[in-house]
Amino acid sequence: MNIIDGKAVALNVKNQVKLECEALKKKGITPGLAVIIVGDDPASQVYVRNKEKACEECGFHSVKYALDANTTQQELNALIDELNNDDSINGILCQLPLPSHLDDKEVINRIDPIKDVDAFHPVNVGAIMIGDYNFLPCTPAGVMELIHSTGVELEGKKAVVMGRSNIVGKPMAMLLLHENATVEITHSKTKNLSEITSDADILVAAVGKAKFVKADMVKQGAVVIDVGMDRDENGKLCGDVDFEDVKEKCSYITPVPGGVGPMTIAMLMKNTLTAAKIQNNIE
Ligand code: GUN
């Protein structure tokens, strides 16, 4: 069993981005990311802080907009319009979830697709479906990097994605398909779940339930990637996979924390760099 070191893989990605950023700066271009956070959700605040830190590490210009919990849709829309028209900003990210009086979909649709470094806009989602894209969604792209880091070949392998969210499950399945895996998606209505998951050479868990995946759901020698960010019975951060129960059955497994989490942010940096290049007609 090998534990995949997400921090190390993420550092490689960020170092590459940093090098490219230095080259861009010599041409007078500094990649810029705007991060919007509405309200005071503690988990979102941690994510946003980590995103700002990563921008600093990569040499990006970053601006944070911390808006009051009772910000109106009109105010949020006006900010997005302003950022869409701001040439110093190449990427715009609005941290989700938003307070319930605000509409996630309206926000996603309002961000200029060329600045949509989350790849949540329908234009970018469609581009991913076709396989002709500028940005990959950060978490699924990070999972692909982790799988690549193992050297395990995907072609013809059975991959099972647990979870069908727009942010992770659905695009995840598409990226695995692009690399010629045979892909199955499971969800809360799936029958005979463990029969399906225990046939997977690659198992990606994105269900949002603490320690949900047990050893009897995993094939001997599988690569197991845990996208979960949950709390266990003691309030401790854990994943969707019961790591201690499952680890000995895996050829490779990601820990939580230190697996997928750092990769999501590294891929956001990569997307912001790509956005800066496209908007300046480079490559
Ligand atoms: N909330 C949880 N994950 C994400 C993400 O990748 N992007 C944004 N904008 N919000 C999130």
Side-chain angles (χ1 to χ4, degrees):
M1 183 271 299
N2 300 284
I3 298 176
I4 303 174
D5 185 347
K7 271 193 192 163
V9 182
L11 192 62
N12 279 339
V13 173
K14 283 188 287 186
N15 282 338
Q16 184 61 41
V17 170
K18 187 178 169 184
L19 281 178
E20 287 201 49
C21 177
E22 280 163 9
L24 279 185
K25 280 182 168 171
K26 289 195 182 123
K27 296 179 178 164
I29 301 158
T30 302
L33 177 69
V35 177
I36 306 169
I37 177 169
V38 188
D40 42 22
D41 177 60
S44 290
Q45 283 178 335
V46 174
Y47 296 145
V48 167
R49 205 174 312 129
N50 289 338
K51 286 168 185 173
E52 282 185 285
K53 215 176 102 214
C55 281
E56 220 172 278
E57 286 167 22
C58 291
F60 292 0
H61 161 60
S62 85
V63 197
K64 178 171 116 175
Y65 294 87
L67 307 183
D68 204 77
N70 51 33
T71 298
T72 65
Q73 186 79 49
Q74 286 74 15
E75 287 166 334
L76 185 53
N77 289 351
L79 174 59
I80 292 168
D81 292 346
E82 186 189 316
L83 295 169
N84 279 338
N85 291 315
D86 182 342
D87 288 341
S88 74
I89 295 299
N90 306 110
I92 305 169
L93 178 146
C94 181
Q95 188 67 30
L96 303 177
L98 289 166
S100 58
H101 69 283
L102 297 172
D103 185 356
D104 291 9
K105 207 158 92 181
E106 190 168 334
V107 168
I108 289 168
N109 286 336
R110 202 161 186 112
I111 295 174
D112 186 335
I114 209 66
K115 296 193 176 185
D116 170 37
V117 284
D118 263 325
F120 290 169
H121 191 287
V123 163
N124 288 323
V125 175
I128 291 156
M129 188 81 151
I130 298 164
D132 179 17
Y133 44 76
N134 294 314
F135 307 122
L136 288 175
C138 302
T139 299
V143 170
M144 295 308 287
E145 290 283 332
L146 292 176
I147 296 172
H148 293 152
S149 79
T150 67
V152 170
E153 182 57 53
L154 280 169
E155 186 160 308
K157 295 278 172 64
K158 171 85 180 274
V160 172
V161 179
M162 304 175 72
R164 56 174 160 181
S165 71
N166 288 329
I167 293 183
V168 182
K170 284 189 219 171
M172 186 74 248
M174 207 50 62
L175 301 196
L176 290 161
L177 183 62
H178 288 163
E179 297 201 15
N180 299 320
T182 301
V183 186
E184 191 161 2
I185 304 174
T186 69
H187 48 81
S188 55
K189 306 285 189 286
T190 296
K191 296 198 171 76
N192 308 322
L193 180 64
S194 29
E195 221 169 89
I196 296 166
T197 59
S198 56
D199 195 31
D201 302 303
I202 318 289
L203 183 62
V204 181
V207 288
K209 291 181 191 161
K211 299 184 182 178
F212 181 74
V213 178
K214 304 288 183 192
D216 62 356
M217 299 167 75
V218 175
K219 182 176 176 174
Q220 188 70 44
V223 175
V224 175
I225 309 285
D226 190 348
V227 182
M229 280 284 220
D230 314 306
R231 298 272 164 190
D232 70 9
E233 57 284 2
N234 303 314
K236 199 168 151 252
L237 189 64
C238 71
D240 291 347
V241 177
D242 189 335
F243 186 88
E244 287 306 318
D245 195 45
V246 167
K247 65 178 183 188
E248 292 310 329
K249 271 188 116 172
C250 307
S251 57
Y252 292 91
I253 183 167
T254 62
V256 177
V260 174
M263 287 309 294
T264 298
I265 295 181
M267 301 320 280
L268 173 68
M269 298 301 110
K270 195 170 169 181
N271 280 348
T272 305
L273 179 81
T274 303
K277 286 201 246 175
I278 294 171
Q279 288 159 41
N280 289 283
N281 301 312
I282 293 170
E283 282 183 351

